Amino acid sequence: MTRPCVKNVLTHAELNPAHVMVAGNLEVLERHHDKWCALMPSALEPSVIGAPAWQMPMFRHLRKGDAGIDTLFVGDGDAPGRLQGLWPFELQHRRWGLPVPVVTSWTHDLFFDGVPLIGKEQPEETVFRLLEAAAGTLGAKAALFRMLPVAGGFSRTLHRVAARHGLPVTEIEPFERACLKCGRDYETWFNESFPRKKRKEFRRLRKRLAE
């Protein structure tokens, strides 16, 4: 089975910033760790790549926290202290050989998708505010979202927001890749697909990996 994906989704952003914070170093990210974790299970489109347990070790290892990589946090106006969105990004002052400032998703060779974390409760407002910040706070002429599933919740929301505000969207370098769709919850699939001895070994390996 394959899943249609697109390497890049580009949308122009010419809006005004509101209720968005830019975290520019590892210390700020670590202070928001609990809020970040709380956003994970309520995300419009869940993403392992978006988890702090995945991203923070890479930030530390690559020493990127103070060298060009930042994170946009979108707060919840109705619930102070709660996050509705999170997007690690880089601000590039030149793109495609032109002096055009572009906010682009931060990705790495270990990433298999680049979906920003967006809460389920106010997805369109949250995406709108990401674009506001890209244009108003960061001065970008476009936002480049990289490695997105075409039929994913974030892509659909982005297209709706862009259409509502008259922002052009361009999908760049579409591709398909293999994926596994179980059609049921993970535990049921796992228990039915492997014998008891193999399940025990996988759990042992998972525990070692976590350590």
Side-chain angles (χ1 to χ4, degrees), residues 34 43 82 84 109 127 145 156 159 183 202:
D34 291 346
R82 186 170 68 178
Q84 282 293 346
D109 290 343
V127 170
F145 296 95
R156 292 194 299 268
H159 278 78
F202 282 146

Side-chain angles (χ1 to χ4, degrees), residues 20-127:
V20 178
M21 182 190 75
V22 178
N25 56 59
L26 292 173
E27 288 72 21
V28 175
L29 291 175
E30 287 166 350
R31 286 202 299 272
H32 288 80
H33 179 271
D34 291 346
K35 299 175 189 175
W36 188 349
C37 290
L39 177 61
M40 287 291 297
S42 63
L44 175 69
E45 186 172 356
S47 172
V48 173
I49 299 300
W54 186 291
Q55 291 194 14
M56 288 300 291
M58 283 199 293
F59 289 175
R60 296 189 190 99
H61 177 69
L62 298 172
R63 300 179 182 273
K64 284 281 190 175
D66 299 305
I69 182 169
D70 296 296
T71 303
L72 279 170
F73 285 100
V74 180
D76 188 331
D78 297 326
R82 186 170 68 178
L83 290 179
Q84 282 293 346
L86 185 145
W87 182 36
F89 72 92
E90 292 180 271
L91 177 60
Q92 300 179 347
H93 295 283
R94 293 185 64 89
R95 185 81 193 189
W96 305 293
L98 300 172
V100 177
V102 175
V103 173
T104 179
S105 304
W106 181 73
T107 61
H108 185 270
D109 290 343
L110 296 177
F111 282 23
F112 46 84
D113 73 48
V115 179
L117 288 179
I118 303 295
K120 291 180 180 178
E121 293 184 12
Q122 308 166 31
E124 292 189 19
E125 180 182 350
T126 301
V127 170

Side-chain angles (χ1 to χ4, degrees), residues 89-185:
F89 72 92
E90 292 180 271
L91 177 60
Q92 300 179 347
H93 295 283
R94 293 185 64 89
R95 185 81 193 189
W96 305 293
L98 300 172
V100 177
V102 175
V103 173
T104 179
S105 304
W106 181 73
T107 61
H108 185 270
D109 290 343
L110 296 177
F111 282 23
F112 46 84
D113 73 48
V115 179
L117 288 179
I118 303 295
K120 291 180 180 178
E121 293 184 12
Q122 308 166 31
E124 292 189 19
E125 180 182 350
T126 301
V127 170
F128 177 79
R129 281 151 56 182
L130 283 179
L131 299 179
E132 285 184 316
T137 302
L138 304 172
K141 298 300 182 183
L144 183 65
F145 296 95
R146 304 178 63 190
M147 301 177 65
L148 299 180
V150 170
F154 176 78
S155 287
R156 292 194 299 268
T157 302
L158 176 63
H159 278 78
R160 287 197 299 269
V161 171
R164 179 177 301 170
H165 296 281
L167 303 174
V169 176
T170 303
E171 293 184 355
I172 306 170
E173 299 181 66
F175 66 97
E176 289 191 342
R177 71 173 180 221
C179 70
L180 172 65
K181 291 188 176 180
C182 302
R184 49 203 160 157
D185 66 272

